Amino acid sequence: MNPIDRPTIVTGPPYPTIPSTPADVGGIGAPVTNPSYTSSTYPAGIVSDVGGSNPQMKCIVLTGFGGAKNVKLMMKDRPQPQPNEVIIKSRVCGINFQDIMTRQGVIDNPPKTPFIMGGEVGGEIIQCGSATTKFLPGDRVIAFPEFRAWAEYVAVPERLCFKLPDTIDFQDGVALALDSVVAETVLFELGNLKPGKTILVQSAAGGVGQMICQMAKSVENVTVVGIASGHKEEDLKPSIDVFIERGVDYVHEIRKFCPMGVDLVLDCQCGEEFSKCYSLLKPMGRYILYGTQSICAGESKSFFSVARSFFSPPDQWWQVEKLSPLKMYDENKMVAGFNFRHLLYKQREHAYIDEALKQVWIRYLKREIRPVIDSTWCFEDIPEAMLRIIEHLNFGKIVLDPQMRADSEEAALSRGLNKNLSLRPESTSESENKTLESRHEGVGFIEAIKETLMGGESELPRQHSTTRTD
């Protein structure tokens, strides 16, 4: 295995940990009590990018768009709340494919680097801004800040925080929250799933995919067809009816046992998969897009290979077959999309997310769904955790534990999951990536490759959202 660049800190005494209570791992019916808060004191040898004597915290910072080596573990001042914000003591952070896209700079309007990464965190509120009205210190919440979640202390607008029931621990809460809201929405709000239907699920072994499969099984006589990597077949058997290995001609395989096609397709890939999935729909069938994972390059691939495909013929990922409303009208088919990030941050539908989460907690307490956690990682090992997602090695959710020590048995166990993975870097990738990084510091990846390959300034507007990094 080629070594993966891990964030570097100057050696010193082990990090002190925040005490936790045994009830923190309680299950259904066992209320989780709030731990006592203690102030952590870090050894003077840890690298910090700020001066002064303000209390500091560990956080994961993206210093430039591109590869995993741009993700750094740093020390920063703990944030202070704005009037409409709360401060959360982070207990568990979620990792999603959206974070991979953010790192590579392929999201719309990325913030300028450097900034603290992460968009999902569970913990206790320890401080409230002067204008907040919904929560009090000590409340247990799940929060979806647009960024800044991968830190020991997180400042979050109150509207982006959601109550976590006392009977659900933080790890289960984070493993369920975002993924289950997406699953609940695409299956029932948009997909209108009913008994007797057949559904096709792309990436069935991922965090969202597993929630979709479990929720679908709560509906009578639903047939679930799941696509995933071949080594995940055994793990998928309890939650699906038909397994199809990634890379196989799934259109041909599905036609063998379902000649008329399927009633619902849930796609997180997009690109060329759209035409295949749409062709599989029965009359009155629905195609729902909830992700664009095909936009991302794997760690073992050159970013320039993605750049070249950006200007290739129109069968590549960013160009989907144009679909006329008249075609859907004639064929009695429906197409829809769900973008969690846009719904919450741009369209400000916090009330919808709140109601969807309440339904998720009910399903959990009724044992209709269970969290599927692939692995838990310490902050120091974030590059390896992200690698596990981008190479499709995970089965279920990957989470970060801000209190986990890098020298602990738990951290070593997670690192061992990737021990047989080879990155197989291309000989030209390093120099190409350095060219992009040096010429386009803080610029979105798509803008950078266009400027590089076209030999001039990008015509795309260089817009960045305003994001605090404190």
Side-chain angles (χ1 to χ4, degrees), residues 1 4 6 377 381-388 415 418:
M1 171 182 171
I4 301 171
R6 296 173 58 197
W377 299 75
D381 288 332
I382 182 60
E384 295 196 44
M386 298 181 88
L387 174 67
R388 191 160 178 80
R415 284 194 293 272
N418 289 356

Side-chain angles (χ1 to χ4, degrees), residues 5 15 52 65 98 233 240 253 286 313 328 407 426 450:
D5 291 333
Y15 291 108
F65 296 109
Q98 181 76 32
E233 180 175 5
I240 66 173
E253 294 299 316
R286 303 179 185 218
M328 291 186 285
D407 59 356
E426 297 179 8
K450 185 167 185 178

Side-chain angles (χ1 to χ4, degrees), residues 241-262:
D241 299 291
V242 179
F243 173 82
I244 298 178
E245 185 174 356
R246 184 188 301 277
V248 170
D249 183 354
Y250 59 85
V251 175
H252 177 72
E253 294 299 316
I254 290 173
R255 293 291 186 192
K256 288 180 180 179
F257 63 87
C258 201
M260 291 294 294
V262 300

Side-chain angles (χ1 to χ4, degrees), residues 158-208:
E158 187 181 39
R159 62 185 173 82
L160 301 180
C161 299
F162 304 90
K163 176 69 175 176
L164 178 66
D166 289 340
T167 53
I168 303 177
D169 67 48
F170 289 112
Q171 190 171 68
D172 284 357
V174 169
L176 289 167
L178 189 154
D179 293 349
S180 296
V181 166
V182 175
E184 181 80 24
T185 302
V186 298
L187 273 177
F188 303 109
E189 184 77 13
L190 300 178
N192 193 31
L193 184 62
K194 294 180 179 179
K197 301 297 184 181
T198 300
I199 71 171
L200 171 63
V201 184
Q202 294 273 9
S203 297
V208 177

Side-chain angles (χ1 to χ4, degrees), residues 443-455:
V443 178
F445 181 65
I446 296 302
E447 299 175 29
I449 60 178
K450 185 167 185 178
E451 178 177 339
T452 300
L453 293 185
M454 299 299 287

